[in-house]
Amino acid sequence: MNDVIALQIADSIATVTLNRPGSLNALNREMAEALNRVFGELERNASVRCLVLRGAGDHFMAGGDIRFFQQCLALPEPEREAEVASVIGMVNAAAAQLRRLPQPVIASIRGNVAGYGMSLVAACDLAIAADNARFTQAYSQIATTPDGGNTFFLPRVVGLKRAAALCLLNQPLDAGAALEQGLINNVVANDELEAETEKMARRITRGSMQAMAGVKALLNASLQHTLEQQLQLEQASFVRCALGADFREGLDAFVGKRQPRFA
């Protein structure tokens, strides 16, 4: 596995670590390629029931690697256009692939979260942050527009006006404000982040994988569908679940007043 992304799988939980701590885990071409590769592998791995996305060291991700863009400035304009388009294409593909994963994804966050790091957080299903987390879009500082699905996810997560403030005014958020705006689910003490993340992940792994994947698919579909279309999808999904072994186990466990043991 490429060193810029570390992948560990244990007890049905995959931990993907953004692993450039010396650069605050800033995204470069190598990391974009590795993210696409890792997410593709996990999408096909039926043994993984939950994914945790984290940053190595004291920070989650400080956005894109500025040195890469500085190097692009030295290229002739056609080559610069092709290089930037290639990297942003990979960045966007990784965000889309993350959202398509059937497994629930938890962002485990501490320190700086900027630019594409915010897109990854918004694309995850759940997010837990240490109380030292700081969020900022940062794109306006380098006179560019967001990437990685930021303009798709943020309006749906925090609302249009708040997304505009984040992007246009480069408004920073501390952990408490991110919680209040709905960007994250929990705030914990910095030294409790790993333990609380594991607790959340293990709670997910005890659930039905079929049902979890169905919930993700329904939530994704709801962003484009009418109510009537969504109701039809809900009906079809419920029926599929009701035909599975997990449904029988869930009913038996409920009646027997015990914890279910899903396949």
Side-chain angles (χ1 to χ4, degrees), residues 132-154:
N132 69 351
R134 296 294 181 270
F135 303 81
T136 179
Q137 280 289 285
Y139 293 98
S140 63
Q141 289 179 274
I142 59 170
T144 188
T145 53
D147 59 0
N150 260 305
T151 59
F152 179 87
F153 295 118
L154 283 178

Side-chain angles (χ1 to χ4, degrees), residues 213-234:
V215 168
K216 285 197 64 169
L218 287 169
L219 291 175
N220 284 338
S222 72
L223 301 176
Q224 287 86 31
H225 287 167
T226 64
L227 173 60
E228 289 72 19
Q229 290 172 323
Q230 192 68 14
L231 291 172
Q232 290 176 358
L233 285 179
E234 286 185 355

Side-chain angles (χ1 to χ4, degrees), residues 40-63:
E41 292 173 6
L42 292 173
E43 188 174 12
R44 296 184 295 272
N45 191 335
S47 69
V48 172
R49 301 170 69 86
C50 179
L51 188 155
V52 172
L53 182 63
R54 62 183 296 273
D58 296 328
H59 302 278
F60 183 76
M61 175 187 277

Side-chain angles (χ1 to χ4, degrees), residues 174-252:
D174 61 17
L179 177 64
E180 189 274 330
Q181 294 197 15
L183 183 63
I184 60 178
N185 300 93
N186 299 79
V187 177
V188 299
N190 188 34
D191 60 359
E192 297 176 357
L193 180 62
E194 284 82 5
E196 292 300 319
T197 300
E198 183 177 358
K199 187 184 299 183
M200 182 181 288
R202 292 196 179 281
R203 184 172 179 179
I204 287 173
T205 62
R206 290 195 293 268
S208 164
M209 190 61 199
Q210 181 185 19
M212 296 283 187
V215 168
K216 285 197 64 169
L218 287 169
L219 291 175
N220 284 338
S222 72
L223 301 176
Q224 287 86 31
H225 287 167
T226 64
L227 173 60
E228 289 72 19
Q229 290 172 323
Q230 192 68 14
L231 291 172
Q232 290 176 358
L233 285 179
E234 286 185 355
Q235 179 183 19
S237 182
F238 192 103
V239 170
R240 282 194 301 273
C241 289
L243 296 176
D246 281 348
F247 183 67
R248 181 182 296 277
E249 168 61 14
L251 294 178
D252 289 345

Side-chain angles (χ1 to χ4, degrees), residues 45-199:
N45 191 335
S47 69
V48 172
R49 301 170 69 86
C50 179
L51 188 155
V52 172
L53 182 63
R54 62 183 296 273
D58 296 328
H59 302 278
F60 183 76
M61 175 187 277
D65 192 330
I66 297 300
R67 286 174 295 182
F68 162 75
F69 294 111
Q70 287 178 320
Q71 292 167 358
C72 288
L73 292 176
L75 298 173
E77 187 170 320
E79 294 179 31
R80 187 195 317 171
E81 179 181 8
E83 177 66 5
V84 173
S86 172
V87 171
I88 299 303
M90 286 189 291
V91 163
N92 289 349
Q97 202 166 26
L98 173 64
R99 191 62 221 165
R100 287 197 307 268
L101 287 174
Q103 304 95 336
V105 183
I106 302 170
S108 183
I109 308 151
R110 60 163 45 96
N112 290 333
V113 185
Y116 186 67
M118 283 192 68
S119 178
L120 289 176
V121 170
C124 289
D125 302 291
L126 298 165
I128 182 170
D131 52 15
N132 69 351
R134 296 294 181 270
F135 303 81
T136 179
Q137 280 289 285
Y139 293 98
S140 63
Q141 289 179 274
I142 59 170
T144 188
T145 53
D147 59 0
N150 260 305
T151 59
F152 179 87
F153 295 118
L154 283 178
R156 290 165 168 80
V157 172
V158 305
L160 188 60
K161 289 289 193 298
R162 285 173 168 173
L166 291 170
C167 297
L168 297 176
L169 305 178
N170 201 27
Q171 178 178 300
L173 299 176
D174 61 17
L179 177 64
E180 189 274 330
Q181 294 197 15
L183 183 63
I184 60 178
N185 300 93
N186 299 79
V187 177
V188 299
N190 188 34
D191 60 359
E192 297 176 357
L193 180 62
E194 284 82 5
E196 292 300 319
T197 300
E198 183 177 358
K199 187 184 299 183

